Amino acid sequence: MTAKPRLTHNHARRLLGQMMRIRVFEERCAELYTQQKIRGFLHLYIGEEANAVGTMEALTPQDSVVATYRDHGHALARGVAMGPVMAEMYGKAGGTSRGRGGSMHIFDRPARFYGGNAIVGGGLPLAVGLALAEKMAKGSGVAVCLFGEGAVAEGEFHESLNLAALWKLPVLFVCENNLYAMGSAIERTESETDIHLKAASYRIDSRRVDGMDVVAVEAAARGALEHIRGGGGPVFLECMTYRFRAHSMFDAQLYRDKEEIERWKERDPIKRFQTWALSAGLLHDSDVTALSAEAVIEVDAAVAFAEASPWEPLADLEKHVLMDKVPA
Amino acid sequence: MSDFRMPSLGADMEKGTVVEWLKKPGEKIARGDVVAVVETQKGAFEVEIFEDGVLSEILVPVGTEVPVGAVLARIESGEAKPLAKPAPPAPRPAVAPSPTPPPRPSLPSAGERLRLSPAAARRAAELHVDPHSVTGSGQGGAITLADIEAAVARAGRTTGEKGRRGFDPSAMRQAIASAMARSKREIPHYYLSLPIDMSRALQWLAAENARRDVENRLLAGVLLLKATALALKDVPELNGFWIEGGPRLSTGIHVGWAISLRGGGLMAPAIHDADGKSIDQLMAALRDLVVRARTARLRGSEMTDPTVTVTSLGERGAERVYGVIYPPQLAIVGFGAVRPAPAIVDGAVAARPTVYATVSGDHRASDGVSGSRLLAAIDSRLQAPEAL
Amino acid sequence: MSAARRKTTYREAVRDAIREAMLRDPRVFLMGEDVGRYGGCYAVSKGLLQEFGEERIRDTPLSESGFVGAGIGAALNGMRPIVEVMSVNFSLLALDQIVNNAATIPHMSGGQFAVPLVIRMATGSGRQLAAQHSHSLEGWYAHIPGLKVLAPATLEDARGMLWSALEDPNPVLIFEHVQLYNMEGELDAAAGAVPISGAAIRRPGRDLSIVTYGGSLSKCLAAATALAGEGIEAEVIDLRSLRPLDDATIMASVARTRRVLIVDEGWRSGGISAEISARIVEQAFYELDAPPARLCGVEVPIPYPKHLEDASVPQAESIRAAARALVRPT
């Protein structure tokens, strides 16, 4: 771990709490999926929580976020309320998108959370445009774009990095490199596996971060945002991470060894940060117990909210296809 | 006690086969433990448990395929946390016993089908017109809406409002205009006339009516009608249609009797086989036809069947009428008003009740000789009224 | 009373529309390949860089997906971008952004976000640009719920549709036929915004309806004039909008004429002409005296030589022949 900021008790408590509530939320999602409460694709973020939590911790409300289909952790870390996120997973009217998007498409206007994009690479041009508008309107917000290393092979990745660098746009690119594009290992899909070098070739300030270390991610994000807000143009972070669960629920994981998964689990960002914070005296056992209980209570409440939420009426099927006005 | 069920791992997973049990009955299990391995069409999955307790009983042995939701094992709960009850497996659609294949409907051959445009079909149904009697002018001879309306006009029918029986003067005018314009555009008419002495016919009629009650009295028109029908038997080349570039003569003599309507316009519904009907039958048919024409209650066949048209102007009419043929008929016979006219009787001039009979013939189908023969035949029939 | 009229071209009308939008709304900007220094591939934006500067007349790299997506992002974040894609063939590189993002985000977000974006692109054949610059793929976009698809075929529409499209809260695609840019005519000096919904009857007639749009409109009108000399009065409908389609105007016309010819430079198979034909059969079957007829692009990638290119798409003479065959079958 490099250049750790000095953490306060409250800060450490918040980081651990955020990661724990995402973890508990997603474990519950897996369970609900087997019960057919949640349908469609369900991509769990378990193992990668430090990236979302560290990044979002550094953001201001003016910043906007573009995420991928593995977006529950991002939405929750960004402050989207858990009840509506769970209701969205259920497809209920109380969901963030009134149930129309589901797990892969969490959108939230107050949080400036621009989706849950399920086209790999498809969110990058959006982030460039959000940043372009911000720059033209002389706003202070930064567009933060999270994507996996699979997106690097898409043309949209290269087009977007070039545009952002060319126009010096306030974009923070966060590549969550979990080593597998679905079932394809990075060395089987990329000629250059050192991803941050690709960004550097567009003259973008670019660095690699330990994505299993929430403090390292937050520190990198803070440094990057400072650079961007100072007019230095986009920054690219490659967060080295790993997903502990399958790509989506119905994935037999024929493409990787159990030993590899176990090795990465030893670096579980929650256990690791918790152990470190306890040993450093920043947190006490009672904090961990309390945070754990709070997470379960919040998830229980979110499930209850989703269960109680009504379905969209069939009569509204064609609503929101064409808009009557631009929401204020 | 709770149930451990075959989990749903994807919307496309319907069933799975237990290939391994990783816990034995009686063994303690904790939330997150992998309990079994399940084989699916996407490969083998380790199935985890979401509660703590003891595996009390295995219900599905290794090698058995079960649907999603089936109970695989029973769990003696430790501190069982309340869980939403697992949803029952989605009901499988009941599979109906496969029926014997339905018999193939016998399809009409293409040749039997009438080429009728949708618009024409609808209008024909509205007006109760049998489209088989209509000649098409559209693609591949298809009958168009205009063809139907022309046919109706030809038959003197109204083309009233959609679906409403009744009289629409403007639509009728349109239909007459269309039919008459077509007639004058396509049919080269020739015109002939002959004055006919009506003394005998009228004397016979007066005597006949003197012994009938008012309801059964005969009109002069019925004599003209019968005489024309019988005359056409002698001159068949004026009875029928011009279709597809040639005359198609009719064996039946169906006289379209022109009836002017009080609201304007006219129609000429058919009196079928007029040559074979008695004077009394014809008179009854005429009365019936006039009443029904004026209340728009004619039958479709009456509109389309006439093989010739007869127009009689009656007592207050003009001296002569040279009619316009209703396409695709071949001729129209006209009678003016019966008036006293000077005639040479036994070498001396005498006033005689006279009617001018005329014929307009389609010169493509017949020549003036035929028309002349027809007029002469009508004349001779009217000179023997008792034989009518 | 008599409004002053002035000579103009379609190209100038589009340029005037962009200029007006830039002046009226500071959120409006133009972005695309060579729209600035070069002045636009078809010279539509010539001079605008000098007038409005590089910030608002923004040259982009050759990255259709990147800058169309950036336009969507900017629209999501409060701007009113006009994105120019050089030709509809190139827009296929941005298909992901248009179809998967612009058209879906409003619905997928449960109505939280709108995408008030205008994408202009050139379409169609007639300039001997061969098979990667000449196609008419606007019908594809008309398939997509969430988009509006416009085809200005007149000077008034070239001048007036853009502002209305910018005011619309939805992504609007405007297809400008390459052969129209040089079209000259007179335009009211005070011409401005026009509604972007609804078809227009450009010529009334009683014997058949010719339904068309964009670059084929002038050819259909020329055919209609020639047909009048033969005693056939054709009604010519300019669709103006391919999505949504103005069913009411089409059906009312067909109910009057009972015959319809659909003229589309795009290919017949699965094209917009197929959609229009199907709707007529669905909605106006009992008004028809003949099956709906279509005259479409020949199913071939548009070839380069002039004689083959001309033969690939409907022309006034072939439209006239098709109309005549429909009205006066032999």
Side-chain angles (χ1 to χ4, degrees):
Chain A
M1 294 192 196
T2 54
K4 289 229 172 319
R6 287 200 173 279
L7 291 187
T8 63
H9 165 77
N10 284 344
H11 192 161
R13 203 177 190 279
R14 199 165 58 241
L15 290 176
L16 183 61
Q18 286 283 50
M19 288 195 289
M20 287 174 78
R21 63 194 279 273
I22 294 170
R23 177 76 54 96
V24 174
F25 175 90
E26 291 210 307
E27 284 174 341
R28 186 69 63 83
C29 288
E31 183 179 351
L32 292 165
Y33 194 88
T34 64
Q35 296 168 13
Q36 308 186 46
K37 295 287 188 183
I38 299 171
R39 295 282 76 189
F41 284 141
L42 176 65
H43 305 91
L44 298 177
Y45 194 53
I46 291 171
E48 305 186 43
E49 295 92 339
N51 303 297
V53 172
T55 303
M56 302 304 166
E57 186 67 20
L59 301 187
T60 67
Q62 287 73 45
D63 300 324
S64 45
V65 179
V66 178
T68 68
Y69 53 86
R70 199 182 300 284
D71 60 352
H72 325 135
H74 303 134
L76 294 174
R78 178 56 177 163
V80 182
M82 189 181 283
V85 174
M86 185 60 90
E88 188 65 29
M89 317 281 284
Y90 271 61
K92 296 276 190 89
T96 43
S97 296
R98 304 194 63 76
R100 284 157 197 269
S103 156
M104 298 190 283
H105 304 298
I106 309 291
F107 284 80
D108 189 75
R109 189 173 184 86
R112 296 179 70 86
F113 196 82
Y114 290 90
N117 201 306
I119 306 295
V120 173
L124 281 92
L126 290 186
V128 169
L130 291 164
L132 174 62
E134 202 67 24
K135 186 176 186 189
M136 291 182 75
K138 303 201 169 19
S140 64
V142 172
V144 180
C145 186
L146 301 109
F147 51 92
E149 89 291 343
V152 172
E154 295 281 0
E156 289 180 323
F157 170 86
H158 298 275
E159 295 187 15
S160 300
L161 261 61
N162 181 49
L163 269 179
L166 185 71
W167 291 344
K168 283 201 170 356
L169 298 178
V171 189
L172 173 57
F173 294 103
V174 179
C175 176
E176 298 182 83
N177 184 353
N178 68 13
L179 307 178
Y180 290 89
M182 209 163 123
S184 298
I186 184 167
E187 58 273 12
R188 297 183 63 242
T189 57
E190 285 294 318
S191 59
E192 171 55 81
T193 56
D194 198 347
I195 299 299
H196 78 286
L197 291 181
K198 295 174 191 281
S201 78
Y202 291 104
R203 297 179 177 272
I204 292 177
D205 191 48
S206 165
R207 68 194 86 138
R208 193 172 244 190
V209 184
D210 180 358
M212 306 305 269
D213 178 351
V214 67
V215 181
V217 174
E218 185 190 335
R222 284 198 187 281
L225 288 162
E226 196 177 323
H227 174 91
I228 297 166
R229 291 196 218 280
V235 174
F236 188 96
L237 300 180
E238 180 187 6
C239 298
M240 304 307 294
T241 189
Y242 199 81
R243 61 173 156 74
F244 296 165
R245 312 265 311 202
H247 166 74
S248 65
M249 292 298 283
F250 206 26
D251 163 17
Q253 305 197 64
L254 306 171
Y255 49 84
R256 63 183 188 180
D257 296 337
K258 283 206 173 131
E259 291 71 34
E260 180 183 294
I261 301 172
E262 292 309 313
R263 267 202 316 281
W264 275 93
K265 276 187 174 172
E266 287 164 20
R267 299 172 60 190
D268 183 328
I270 295 179
K271 271 192 218 155
R272 194 170 163 196
F273 180 69
Q274 184 180 311
T275 308
W276 175 80
L278 288 172
S279 68
L282 271 171
L283 295 175
H284 301 286
D285 285 337
S286 60
D287 292 313
V288 176
T289 312
L291 287 173
S292 179
E294 283 165 23
V296 172
I297 290 166
E298 188 186 6
V299 171
D300 283 346
V303 171
F305 177 85
E307 290 281 349
S309 174
W311 298 102
E312 277 276 83
L314 277 179
D316 287 352
L317 173 63
E318 293 175 88
K319 263 182 98 169
H320 313 307
V321 175
L322 287 178
M323 301 286 283
D324 299 330
K325 60 179 174 29
V326 178
Chain B
M1 184 77 81
S2 65
D3 295 336
F4 173 58
R5 294 171 185 266
M6 175 63 76
S8 167
L9 298 168
D12 48 345
M13 174 175 166
E14 294 174 353
K15 57 196 176 184
T17 305
V18 177
V19 293
E20 189 178 358
W21 281 104
L22 299 171
K23 301 283 177 186
K24 289 190 279 294
E27 217 175 318
K28 274 189 76 169
I29 48 176
R31 181 183 167 85
D33 282 355
V34 175
V35 177
V37 179
V38 169
E39 181 76 31
T40 71
Q41 74 266 33
K42 281 202 177 175
F45 286 80
E46 292 179 337
V47 179
E48 66 189 304
I49 191 109
F50 291 100
E51 63 186 297
D52 301 329
V54 174
L55 183 70
S56 62
E57 188 188 359
I58 287 175
L59 299 173
V60 174
V62 166
T64 310
E65 185 180 76
V66 293
V68 165
V71 179
L72 300 176
R74 297 209 191 278
I75 309 295
E76 197 91 49
S77 38
E79 269 178 76
K81 68 180 198 60
L83 256 187
K85 271 236 185 287
R92 299 177 77 74
V95 179
S98 122
T100 50
R104 281 181 169 277
S106 63
L107 298 172
S109 76
E112 296 168 23
R113 289 195 43 96
L114 190 66
R115 293 180 67 87
L116 184 62
S117 88
R122 184 181 59 184
R123 188 57 59 92
E126 284 167 4
L127 298 176
H128 309 283
V129 170
D130 176 6
H132 287 89
S133 62
V134 178
T135 308
S137 65
Q139 285 182 4
I143 298 162
T144 66
L145 185 138
D147 295 332
I148 293 290
E149 291 185 339
V152 168
R154 193 156 64 237
R157 273 284 310 276
T158 173
T159 58
E161 285 281 294
K162 279 185 195 175
R164 209 185 69 212
R165 297 182 68 154
F167 182 61
D168 176 352
S170 70
M172 164 159 287
R173 198 70 254 159
Q174 195 62 43
I176 293 172
S178 160
M180 294 299 100
R182 180 178 159 203
S183 176
K184 279 291 188 175
R185 196 166 56 235
E186 292 178 7
I187 303 178
H189 290 61
Y190 63 82
Y191 304 99
L192 305 169
S193 75
L194 182 70
I196 297 175
D197 186 336
M198 289 293 280
S199 307
R200 283 167 174 267
L202 293 181
Q203 279 164 19
W204 180 84
L205 192 67
E208 192 65 22
N209 280 341
R211 60 178 186 82
R212 288 168 178 256
D213 50 43
V214 175
E215 279 161 30
N216 291 319
R217 288 205 177 141
L218 303 174
L219 295 172
V222 77
L223 301 182
L224 303 175
L225 169 60
K226 183 70 187 283
T228 304
L230 291 173
L232 280 165
K233 285 174 74 171
D234 301 331
V235 192
E237 58 267 36
L238 293 184
N239 183 53
F241 308 102
W242 183 266
I243 289 172
E244 287 170 4
R248 189 171 300 167
L249 302 186
S250 172
T251 48
I253 295 171
H254 311 310
V255 176
W257 184 259
I259 301 168
S260 62
L261 302 178
R262 293 192 181 104
L266 81 161
M267 34 177 70
I271 296 169
H272 291 96
D273 302 305
D275 56 322
K277 286 191 163 73
S278 70
I279 284 288
D280 282 305
Q281 283 172 325
L282 283 176
M283 194 63 231
L286 262 184
R287 285 187 210 281
D288 173 53
L289 215 49
V290 170
V291 169
R292 286 193 294 114
R294 289 179 174 160
T295 52
R297 290 187 198 285
L298 295 169
R299 285 182 287 273
S301 58
E302 291 171 332
M303 296 303 105
T304 51
D305 286 354
T307 54
V308 68
T309 299
V310 174
T311 179
S312 169
L313 297 181
E315 293 165 20
R316 292 184 294 277
E319 183 185 65
R320 293 175 223 199
V321 52
Y322 292 106
V324 179
I325 301 168
Y326 268 124
Q329 291 172 28
L330 298 173
I332 178 169
V333 175
F335 295 98
V338 180
R339 287 183 180 157
I344 307 299
V345 181
D346 299 329
V349 176
R352 309 290 287 224
T354 303
V355 66
Y356 272 90
T358 62
V359 61
S360 308
D362 184 343
H363 219 322
R364 296 172 301 182
S366 66
D367 302 320
V369 172
S370 301
S372 273
R373 282 175 45 225
L374 181 74
L375 292 177
I378 292 170
D379 189 359
S380 70
R381 299 280 177 182
L382 287 169
Q383 302 316 316
E386 64 286 352
L388 284 172
Chain C
M1 178 75 193
S2 67
R5 293 181 74 79
R6 62 187 176 79
K7 279 191 82 149
T8 189
T9 63
Y10 187 96
R11 172 183 293 108
E12 286 162 5
V14 176
R15 185 187 303 143
D16 287 345
I18 298 172
R19 182 184 288 117
E20 181 202 6
M22 299 282 289
L23 292 171
R24 280 175 81 162
D25 188 342
R27 299 173 302 175
V28 171
F29 68 100
L30 175 69
M31 169 164 67
E33 292 159 3
D34 279 316
V35 297
R37 293 208 177 178
Y38 189 96
C41 179
Y42 293 100
V44 167
S45 51
K46 196 157 166 282
L48 295 180
L49 175 67
Q50 289 70 26
E51 190 173 349
F52 296 102
E54 287 189 347
E55 186 76 355
R56 296 183 69 199
I57 303 295
R58 193 170 276 270
D59 279 322
T60 67
L62 310 188
S63 307
E64 282 81 3
S65 195
F67 69 77
V68 169
I72 297 166
L76 283 167
N77 200 8
M79 301 299 280
R80 293 292 182 274
I82 304 168
V83 176
E84 178 177 313
V85 177
M86 227 179 247
S87 94
V88 67
N89 280 95
F90 303 172
S91 80
L92 303 194
L93 292 161
L95 213 48
D96 168 49
Q97 289 299 325
I98 298 170
V99 176
N100 284 325
N101 280 340
T104 61
I105 284 176
H107 183 83
M108 211 161 57
S109 69
Q112 293 184 79
F113 295 108
V115 183
L117 168 72
V118 171
I119 304 175
R120 294 174 40 245
M121 53 185 114
T123 187
S125 68
R127 296 200 149 204
Q128 288 195 259
L129 298 176
Q132 293 182 340
H133 282 73
S134 304
H135 290 150
S136 294
L137 303 177
E138 48 276 4
W140 283 9
Y141 289 102
H143 179 63
I144 310 296
L147 301 180
K148 291 191 175 181
V149 178
L150 307 181
T154 64
L155 295 176
E156 283 77 11
D157 281 350
R159 177 68 181 81
M161 279 184 164
L162 182 71
W163 179 253
S164 302
L166 282 165
E167 287 206 305
D168 196 283
N170 300 290
V172 180
L173 275 54
I174 302 181
F175 289 88
E176 298 160 8
H177 195 284
V178 290
Q179 282 200 303
L180 293 177
Y181 284 126
N182 289 332
M183 181 171 79
E184 285 186 353
E186 285 197 337
L187 195 56
D188 195 311
V194 298
I196 55 172
S197 60
I201 295 175
R202 300 295 186 198
R203 182 189 200 283
R206 57 159 200 269
D207 295 326
L208 84 158
S209 303
I210 300 179
V211 178
T212 192
Y213 68 91
S216 296
L217 175 64
S218 55
K219 295 175 184 176
C220 289
L221 288 170
T225 303
L227 286 163
E230 305 175 32
I232 295 173
E233 292 295 335
E235 181 149 301
V236 179
I237 296 177
D238 173 8
L239 290 170
R240 299 181 71 247
S241 166
L242 303 188
R243 184 180 187 96
L245 280 171
D246 180 359
D247 290 0
T249 297
I250 298 169
M251 302 314 153
S253 175
V254 170
R256 284 193 295 276
T257 63
R258 310 200 177 278
R259 288 177 172 82
V260 61
L261 171 66
I262 303 157
V263 178
D264 176 16
E265 200 173 307
W267 295 302
R268 172 189 304 258
S269 303
I272 188 76
S273 65
E275 175 63 27
I276 296 165
S277 175
R279 289 187 188 206
I280 290 168
V281 172
E282 285 166 348
Q283 298 175 40
F285 183 76
Y286 293 105
E287 307 296 345
L288 292 171
D289 261 342
R294 287 189 283 160
L295 189 63
C296 300
V298 177
E299 307 235 348
V300 62
I302 301 285
Y304 160 67
K306 176 123 179 67
H307 70 295
L308 293 181
E309 181 184 46
D310 286 349
S312 300
V313 298
Q315 304 292 354
E317 194 42 53
S318 57
I319 296 165
R320 179 182 177 184
R324 190 194 296 124
L326 189 59
V327 176
R328 294 198 184 138
T330 49

